[in-house]
DNA sequence: ATCTGTGATGCGTGATCACACATAAAACTA
DNA sequence: TAGTTTTATGTGTGATCACGCATCACAGAT
């Protein structure tokens, strides 16, 4: 009687959480959009209880923010905050890369080169979604190799907060693929440094990768999703 | 008509959250202890609803863990995890210190020297509680000076997870004050480096401070709170 | 024309309940 | 007596409801 595959025994609020997290991560919501419990519950076909807990968890992870009204909204874009997060990401992700360099294996190198090839192909095909996915996978493959689960989760939290903006920018900037052609070159240098066991150079290039894309798309994001006053300033200036 | 001070408009689950967080941070619970919703609710005089949300938030912040049974417990001590958190703390907090060095002011230097004097006095008085508080305040005064709120909150999260163990160790190790005599000396070097604007040296000394205390008390914690198998291994070895 | 009180509506918050599952004590069988 | 089944207790989960607060539109007053 072992014909039965194991049933999904996750709780409802876990599934709701995953769905919401995925949606936020992919930039499906516009920054600042208010999420009401009842509405989300209705559209997901559940009661409000699981939605409440999911929203509160996402607020704790700072993917969502709680307004003074006590309503919950997608984190609005803030250029200063974005800049700080990028600086933190540069420091933390290059640290993870340095650790990964110490634990490198031939398998890691070959997997990374393969992922970078896939990314080049996505650039050629102008397939934005595949591009973003291969880029993300490339980075997280390195961070996983560091074998520091806590650090890995911190990085995941940071991607959850910066990812949506970058995805939105990529999608709306015409010819954004060109930028990633340079990205694959930086990735190649990362692979090279990892293979040589040069932790410093590998980490520096990861930081370069992050900082470069942020500088390239940051102002674009501010224009897309900036607060009224910010965009007003931009328009005036 | 400005005689009226603003009333407290926090929600119940926020207050419950604060209470629990404070209790965890001070090591009032023993690692691994199971917290049942109904029990906590009863002892706090509320219904289960605010407790549920607080517990879930603390799980999201990894101060508590969710067991396979779905019950929620205080995070048990795990030496490998503790070691990783310390390594992360060394990297991140020294980074924050380097940023603080760039934004140093005379007021910061004088406040830090004052805090360090208070810490010396606590060592002399063998006042463990005052010792821990002045130490924590010293560190966070530096991190606040970096003016990177997101980084500050990440560090707070890391202290929430390593703090309880260290506090417990300090309290149970006889003559733990002696260790902090060395701590004040390291702190003095941090102040010196900050005053001189030597970001690298300031950061390195903060890392030294963290790593040193962790190495000093880590094994002690393992013996106090380690899992049965771990402590058995320790006893055998 | 501007400001202010009033009502309606929608939402978050917290209490309560029914249910399912886990654990362990108790009863039963071999 | 040892192993197995049954029962009982307790706990998390999710649904539902009552309440209070925030927001907005509208009407009346200044």
């Amino acid at each position: 009687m072992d014909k039965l595959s194991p049933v999904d025994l996750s709780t409802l609020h876990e599934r709701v959480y995953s769905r919401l997290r995925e949606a936020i991560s992919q930039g499906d919501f516009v920054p600042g959009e208010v999420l009401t419990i009842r509405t989300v519950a209705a559209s997901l076909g559940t009661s409000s209880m699981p939605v409440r807990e999911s929203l509160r968890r996402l607020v704790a992870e700072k993917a969502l923010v709680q307004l003074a009204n006590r309503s919950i909204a997608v984190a609005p874009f803030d250029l200063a905050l974005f800049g700080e997060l990028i600086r933190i990401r540069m420091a933390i992700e290059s640290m993870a890369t340095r650790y990964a360099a110490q634990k490198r294996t031939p398998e890691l190198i070959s997997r990374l080169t393969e992922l970078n090839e896939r990314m080049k192909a996505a650039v050629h095909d102008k397939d934005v979604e595949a591009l973003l996915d291969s880029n993300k996978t490339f980075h997280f493959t390195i961070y996983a190799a560091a074998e520091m689960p806590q650090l890995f989760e911190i990085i995941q939290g940071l991607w959850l907060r910066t990812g949506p903006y970058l995805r939105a920018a990529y999608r709306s900037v015409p010819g954004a693929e060109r930028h990633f052609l340079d990205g694959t070159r930086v990735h190649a240098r990362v692979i090279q440094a990892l293979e040589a066991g040069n932790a410093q150079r590998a980490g520096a290039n990861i930081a370069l990768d992050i900082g470069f894309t942020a500088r390239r798309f940051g102002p674009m994001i501010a224009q897309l999703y900036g607060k009224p006053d910010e965009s007003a300033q931009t328009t005036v200036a």
Side-chain angles (χ1 to χ4, degrees), chain A:
Chain A
M1 165 81 163
D2 48 357
K3 294 179 180 177
L4 276 50
S5 58
V7 298
D8 179 28
L9 42 77
S10 62
T11 59
L12 199 46
H13 83 257
E14 285 178 278
R15 292 193 290 272
V16 171
Y17 165 79
S18 296
R19 288 281 296 271
L20 287 176
R21 183 186 166 106
E22 190 62 23
I24 294 169
S25 186
Q26 298 204 345
D28 290 346
F29 299 116
V30 326
E33 181 176 354
V34 174
L35 296 184
T36 67
I37 295 177
R38 286 172 172 87
T39 307
V40 175
S43 72
L44 261 61
T46 72
S47 87
S48 19
M49 208 53 229
V51 176
R52 269 171 76 168
E53 309 201 17
S54 302
L55 292 184
R56 202 161 300 287
R57 179 167 170 190
L58 287 163
V59 168
E61 293 174 356
K62 301 191 186 308
L64 301 176
V65 294
Q66 184 141 22
L67 276 45
N69 330 336
R70 304 220 158 123
S71 34
I72 288 172
V74 180
F77 181 75
D78 181 283
L79 193 56
L81 187 136
F82 181 75
E84 185 188 339
L85 287 176
I86 291 297
R87 282 196 290 169
I88 296 174
R89 278 191 51 194
M90 289 172 66
I92 292 185
E93 293 178 35
S94 67
M95 165 171 56
T97 305
R98 287 194 298 274
Y99 279 114
Q102 296 171 3
K103 307 215 172 189
R104 71 191 184 281
T105 63
E107 290 74 34
L108 174 67
I109 304 299
S110 64
R111 197 154 72 249
L112 288 176
T113 47
E114 189 214 329
L115 282 166
N116 207 28
E117 289 304 320
R118 193 193 301 175
M119 188 160 156
K120 282 180 197 168
V123 171
H124 182 266
D125 299 345
K126 296 185 194 295
D127 184 342
V128 182
E129 225 54 43
L131 190 51
L132 295 170
D133 280 342
S134 57
N135 180 56
K136 182 173 183 175
T137 311
F138 180 87
H139 279 263
F140 277 96
T141 300
I142 297 175
Y143 308 146
E147 289 177 27
M148 296 180 70
Q150 307 308 313
L151 190 59
F152 189 86
E153 291 192 22
I154 291 176
I155 296 175
Q156 275 188 318
L158 291 169
W159 276 65
L160 179 61
R161 300 174 64 187
T162 52
Y165 305 128
L166 290 174
R167 288 187 88 100
Y170 299 152
R171 278 199 279 257
S172 58
V173 173
E177 316 90 34
R178 272 199 56 74
H179 165 80
F180 283 97
L181 211 59
D182 297 331
T184 56
R185 281 197 270 270
V186 178
H187 285 186
R189 282 204 292 277
V190 171
I191 297 174
Q192 224 170 47
L194 282 175
E195 194 167 15
N198 190 336
Q200 289 300 325
R201 201 161 74 89
N205 274 294
I206 282 289
L208 196 74
D209 189 33
I210 299 167
F212 188 50
T213 57
R215 257 199 304 283
R216 170 76 178 77
F217 291 102
M220 185 63 57
I221 305 167
Q223 212 169 23
L224 277 174
Y225 291 124
K227 300 178 200 163
D229 35 315
E230 281 181 20
S231 60
Q233 285 176 1
T234 312
T235 316
V236 172

